[in-house]
Amino acid sequence: MTEYPPAAAALPASTSKSTGTTWQITAWALWDWGGAAFNAVMTTFIFTALYLTGDDFGGADKATATLAFAMSVSGFAIALFAPVAGQRTDHSGRRRLWLGINTLIVVVLTGACFFVQPQESFLLFGCMLIAAGHVFFEIAGVNYNAMLLQISTKKTIGRISGFGWAAGYLGGIVALLIVYFALIKPDVGIFGITSADGMTYRAVAVFSALWILIFSIPVMLAIPESKPDPNMPKVGFFQSYKELYRTVMHLWRTDRHTVYFLISSAIFRDGLAAIFTFGAVLAVGSFGFKPGDVLIFAIAGNVVAAVGALSAGFFDDKFGPKAVIVTSLVGLLISGGALLFLDGKNAFWVFGLILCLFVGPAQSSARTFMGRLAPDGQEGEMFGLYATTGRAVSFLAPQLFGYSILIFGAQRWGIIGILVVLLAGLLLLLPVKAPPHER
């Protein structure tokens, strides 16, 4: 059995290295900028929301149910493979290589969505492409998050993480604007593309694939390959699960606060995801927004979230990630609670944007919290566990959102379900020992 040092004890080793160059940090953040085309354009606002779950694919109910089933399978696959994938890149020293391979697979799967024609017989094919792309995007993200520790120190990890999150939000805005004005809004889009045969949205898939590909190239050129750990044994694929079990058991014996953080962050991150998942639904169904209003709010919300993530990075480095997360969750609970009792577009604009302001810092500092805890040489494995625990409870907020609507009889009261999840994550985080940081 391989013995590992306690997670919190690993940080001092990182102080011997320096922060990456400006080019390295920018190149790293550009991967997040490019990945926004998959998250924002393909899976959130455009391809699945406006095309794949439309009437051409058998009706919204059937299409949405099929997509939900496919995404649930992808969540199980991420939970199963993410930690082992991270562990094996730690052992082999091929983090950049596997980031590139998994990103390229996402590009291919995204581009293949061009072949999803507006017919019910293509529904399963389209859902499978999106779900598979989600799996490889998350696994690529494990290596991407672990790479953060190659270009940061304890003094700078918060700012650099916040810069990456901000780049992702802003990249999503730019990609959405290009898609909307070049393809969706005009009757005849760029290159003479029209809505006939679903070509508008199929062209969006090609654009997204190219966007991801172009902005993933800099990180492959700027960040050096990670070095293999000579103390880590080389094991087979199935043996990796035994090593993973030993790692978790070792963490439980030597540093339970890391385990506690994985549990608490899984819960409050599910609440953060629910804000984006159901925000547009609530805006239309409960606050009188029209579809065009939602797009405008989405752009404004991403700008505010980017500003929040970028600015919170400085507070993260000064006060530590736990303080930023706690403050953000309290802010989310207050602003979300206000929306329970206020009506109208103006109320949603004000408190909805406040929600966005706190979401970015919570997401960014959760990543730096994990980065500060990760033992040297186990960054990929720990971020794999981070991804896995997040998937393990991804059903929680959606179910409580739905149950709250059923119990109280109105869509607006679904907010209670999200607030309960955020509060539970906050209460579980409070007793967790904060990782060391430098002021």
Side-chain angles (χ1 to χ4, degrees):
M1 171 179 170
T2 304
E3 288 294 328
Y4 303 116
L11 268 170
S14 67
T15 59
S16 62
K17 66 183 181 68
S18 60
T19 299
T21 64
T22 301
W23 164 235
Q24 288 177 325
I25 295 170
T26 302
W28 177 80
L30 283 175
W31 187 90
D32 222 337
W33 174 287
F38 184 79
N39 285 326
V41 177
M42 293 298 293
T43 65
T44 303
F45 293 111
I46 305 297
F47 190 82
T48 58
L50 302 181
Y51 181 59
L52 194 58
T53 56
D55 293 335
D56 291 329
F57 293 91
D61 292 341
K62 177 182 178 180
T64 302
T66 303
L67 179 63
F69 175 75
M71 294 301 288
S72 68
V73 174
S74 75
F76 176 77
I78 293 167
L80 185 63
F81 295 118
V84 170
Q87 177 201 85
R88 293 180 70 79
T89 55
D90 290 338
H91 288 207
S92 66
R94 296 178 179 175
R95 183 174 297 148
R96 184 179 64 181
L97 172 65
W98 284 106
L99 173 62
I101 290 174
N102 286 305
T103 302
L104 186 59
I105 294 173
V106 174
V107 169
V108 172
L109 292 169
T110 301
C113 289
F114 173 81
F115 300 103
V116 179
Q117 299 181 28
Q119 301 172 23
E120 187 175 350
S121 59
F122 282 85
L123 172 61
L124 183 59
F125 175 57
C127 291
M128 290 175 62
L129 288 175
I130 293 295
H134 192 61
V135 172
F136 286 100
F137 187 84
E138 286 288 335
I139 293 177
V142 170
N143 293 302
Y144 172 74
N145 288 334
M147 197 175 278
L148 169 64
L149 303 186
Q150 293 179 237
I151 59 172
S152 66
T153 66
K154 284 198 297 180
K155 293 182 178 180
T156 60
I157 188 173
R159 280 168 285 179
I160 294 174
S161 177
F163 179 64
W165 273 108
Y169 285 125
L170 295 176
I173 294 169
V174 175
L176 284 170
L177 287 174
I178 293 174
V179 164
Y180 180 73
F181 287 107
L183 292 169
I184 295 177
K185 182 178 180 180
D187 294 331
V188 180
I190 191 172
F191 303 126
I193 295 173
T194 67
S195 59
D197 202 26
M199 194 56 68
T200 295
Y201 297 104
R202 293 164 65 188
V204 166
V206 176
F207 165 82
S208 298
L210 292 174
W211 184 272
I212 298 167
L213 178 63
I214 291 170
F215 289 106
S216 65
I217 292 174
V219 73
M220 305 303 296
L221 300 176
I223 310 296
E225 186 59 280
S226 59
K227 296 179 180 180
D229 189 339
N231 297 319
M232 291 284 190
K234 292 184 178 181
V235 297
F237 179 79
F238 294 103
Q239 182 66 23
S240 297
Y241 286 95
K242 293 183 179 180
E243 292 296 322
L244 175 64
Y245 174 78
R246 291 171 180 170
T247 299
V248 174
M249 290 299 99
H250 184 77
L251 284 173
W252 180 251
R253 292 194 305 269
T254 61
D255 190 15
R256 293 190 183 183
H257 284 276
T258 298
V259 180
Y260 297 153
F261 171 72
L262 287 170
I263 296 172
S264 64
S265 70
I267 293 174
F268 72 69
R269 283 186 291 139
D270 188 45
L272 299 177
I275 291 174
F276 283 106
T277 301
F278 299 109
V281 175
L282 287 166
V284 174
S286 299
F287 291 89
F289 275 53
K290 293 180 170 57
D293 299 329
V294 172
L295 180 62
I296 296 172
F297 181 86
I299 293 172
N302 274 346
V303 171
V304 171
V307 172
L310 193 61
S311 60
F314 292 91
F315 293 104
D316 187 305
D317 289 329
K318 184 174 179 62
F319 301 108
K322 181 178 178 179
V324 174
I325 298 171
V326 169
T327 301
S328 298
L329 292 178
V330 171
L332 289 168
L333 289 168
I334 293 173
S335 52
L339 289 175
L340 278 174
F341 305 103
L342 298 176
D343 294 312
K345 290 183 180 179
N346 291 337
F348 193 86
W349 268 103
V350 172
F351 290 99
L353 289 180
I354 294 175
L355 281 169
C356 294
L357 180 67
F358 287 114
V359 166
Q363 290 176 318
S364 177
S365 289
R367 177 165 64 185
T368 64
F369 201 118
M370 189 73 261
R372 294 177 191 273
L373 288 174
D376 192 31
Q378 288 180 261
E379 298 91 345
E381 184 174 23
M382 295 305 296
F383 275 111
L385 285 171
Y386 182 72
T388 291
T389 52
R391 291 296 157 189
V393 298
S394 59
F395 64 90
L396 193 58
Q399 285 199 358
L400 289 179
F401 182 87
Y403 286 143
S404 297
I405 294 174
L406 292 175
I407 292 172
F408 295 100
Q411 184 197 63
R412 174 198 297 268
W413 297 102
I415 296 173
I416 293 178
I418 299 175
L419 295 180
V420 168
V421 173
L422 292 173
L423 179 61
L426 172 62
L427 294 177
L428 289 172
L429 177 66
L430 289 177
V432 176
K433 181 180 179 182
H437 70 282
E438 296 182 3
R439 297 180 181 273

